[in-house]
Every structure is written in structure tokens, then in C-alpha cells.
Amino acid sequence: MDAETLINYDLAKKVPDMISRGFTIETAYGEIVVWPSEAEPFATLVKAMLERQRQELHR
């Protein structure tokens, strides 16, 4: 798959899933669990990042 297809998939499936089910951040020191009730600010940032990446593909 090309980069734009992957980004579109992330925006369509993964970002909404972050909000509905929460997610885990994995670091070299262990995991941080983000519950659904706390996930929206993170998902908003990830969405903005992915949208910028998608725009960069067309420059």
C-alpha cells in the first residue's frame, strides 16, 4: 500500500478506535494506558499530525 492509503486508513479506522476503545502508548520503559474517557485530546493530535503528513505527500 502507498503512504496516502495507509494514512487514510489510519484516519478512518485507527483514530476513531482510539476514542472508542482507548489505547496503549508503548515506550522503552513500559506502557501507558489511555482510557477511552481520556483519549479524545490524543486522538485530535494524531488526526492533525496524519492530515499534515497527507498534505506533505502532495507537495
Side-chain angles (χ1 to χ4, degrees), residues 2-58:
D2 63 29
E4 186 168 14
T5 301
L6 292 171
I7 291 170
N8 288 337
Y9 182 83
D10 291 348
L11 286 166
K13 299 292 185 179
K14 294 179 183 178
V15 172
D17 190 54
M18 290 172 70
I19 296 169
S20 65
R21 298 191 327 163
F23 59 94
T24 303
I25 299 169
E26 186 175 326
T27 75
Y29 296 99
E31 297 178 342
I32 300 169
V33 175
V34 180
W35 300 105
S37 61
E38 303 167 325
E40 192 165 348
F42 292 94
T44 299
L45 289 171
V46 171
K47 181 181 177 187
M49 177 194 71
L50 290 168
E51 288 171 343
R52 278 193 302 275
Q53 289 177 358
R54 186 172 56 187
Q55 285 181 319
E56 288 293 319
L57 294 174
H58 296 285

